[in-house]
Amino acid sequence: MKVLVAVKRVVDYNVKVRVKSDGTGVDIANVKMSMNPFDEIAVEEAVRLKEKGVATEVIAVSCGVQACQETLRTAMAIGADRAVLVQTDAELQPLAVAKLLQAVAQREQVELVIMGKQAIDDDSNQTGQMLAALCDWPQATFAGAVSVADGGVEVKREVDSGEEVVALTLPAVVTTDLRLNEPRYVTLPNIMKAKKKPLDTLTPDELGVDVQPRLRTLKVVEPPQRGAGVMVADVDALVDKLKNEAKVI
């Protein structure tokens, strides 16, 4: 079974992002970039499936600028066998990414796609669902546990009321939640090995996909400054402030 893992290059989660002065977006100049944490979990899960003998090959794919090769090398250092970069300088929105992933999945004849439930930059939480719809494959989102057996996938997923277990037939799409696993530490020997693993580069035109944006960002602004807290003398004073100042009760 071939497993395709989608990974995205995002601003590192430890970096405090800054909005551009003209309000057109987030400033990423000279900012540390890394793999989306949810996608890192997806790569780890795919590699574990291979170590169990369930998967035969793990293919990492990323869509974006040439620098995404670094993210793909990290995925291969974790344990992916090879990588595919769909290179473009265009702004990629969830629908465009889903179409590109569909084209790569069909090209590689994969049976399972694993990806993060969302990216920490735009928080769209759309690409996995759109990919499943385009491919007409069953899907399981927010996976907390994944097991593959008897030609299907069983996924324990988190829902508002607790947990539920769903059974999918292959091929399928699974999006990962934080509790699925803890990604392994990438060692220097594996980083060196990753440099020798194959990385193919494609373009949207080669895949026959139109990646023109369907949405337009009007303005990006900083969140409002949070006011300082105040100390109250007793419960009566607290209730008074909540009722008359905050007006929440």
Side-chain angles (χ1 to χ4, degrees):
M1 179 180 72
K2 282 186 179 182
V3 179
L4 186 72
V5 185
V7 297
K8 185 177 183 181
R9 179 176 179 263
V10 299
V11 175
D12 189 86
Y13 68 92
N14 287 312
V15 174
K16 179 176 173 54
V17 296
R18 302 185 305 274
V19 175
K20 293 180 179 178
S21 58
D22 58 3
T24 58
V26 172
D27 185 7
I28 59 173
N30 301 317
V31 171
K32 181 183 178 182
M33 308 292 284
S34 60
M35 186 189 301
N36 178 46
F38 290 102
D39 296 339
E40 193 173 3
I41 292 170
V43 176
E44 173 67 27
E45 192 65 23
V47 172
R48 291 186 185 188
L49 289 176
K50 185 183 177 184
E51 291 172 344
K52 293 176 183 176
V54 175
T56 56
E57 186 178 31
V58 176
I59 307 165
V61 59
S62 189
C63 307
V65 297
Q66 185 178 7
C68 292
Q69 289 186 11
E70 299 172 8
T71 308
L72 290 171
R73 293 293 179 192
T74 300
M76 289 189 284
I78 294 174
D81 298 292
R82 58 189 177 91
V84 177
L85 170 62
V86 183
Q87 186 172 331
T88 176
D89 293 328
E91 176 194 352
L92 293 177
Q93 295 177 351
L95 180 58
V97 175
K99 290 180 177 179
L100 292 172
L101 294 178
Q102 179 196 21
V104 174
Q106 292 175 342
R107 184 187 182 101
E108 297 290 347
Q109 294 294 297
V110 300
E111 294 182 75
L112 179 63
V113 177
I114 307 179
M115 58 198 304
K117 68 173 184 177
Q118 65 196 81
I120 63 171
D121 52 2
D122 57 19
D123 274 335
S124 292
N125 184 21
Q126 296 174 340
T127 306
Q129 293 89 326
M130 288 178 171
L131 174 61
L134 290 169
C135 295
D136 194 24
W137 289 357
Q139 62 174 306
T141 57
F142 313 113
V146 176
S147 60
V148 180
D150 302 324
V153 184
E154 187 174 277
V155 177
K156 180 185 293 185
R157 59 187 300 270
E158 296 187 10
V159 294
D160 291 340
S161 57
E163 292 181 339
E164 71 175 8
V165 178
V166 295
L168 314 176
T169 56
L170 293 173
V173 177
V174 174
T175 70
T176 61
D177 207 347
L178 284 174
R179 294 171 183 81
L180 179 57
N181 62 52
E182 183 176 344
R184 68 194 67 188
Y185 177 77
V186 180
T187 62
L188 181 59
N190 286 334
I191 293 175
M192 300 305 293
K193 291 177 183 177
K195 293 181 179 181
K196 298 180 180 179
K197 292 183 179 180
L199 193 160
D200 298 325
T201 302
L202 302 171
T203 64
D205 290 338
E206 288 178 288
L207 296 173
V209 177
D210 175 18
V211 296
Q212 287 299 315
R214 265 61 174 181
L215 307 173
R216 182 165 59 92
T217 301
L218 299 179
K219 191 176 183 181
V220 178
V221 296
E222 293 273 7
Q225 289 288 337
R226 185 174 180 177
V230 295
M231 298 292 292
V232 294
D234 50 35
V235 174
D236 291 337
L238 173 62
V239 172
D240 179 68
K241 285 186 174 294
L242 291 176
K243 184 176 181 179
N244 299 314
E245 294 184 20
K247 298 187 184 302
V248 295
I249 59 173

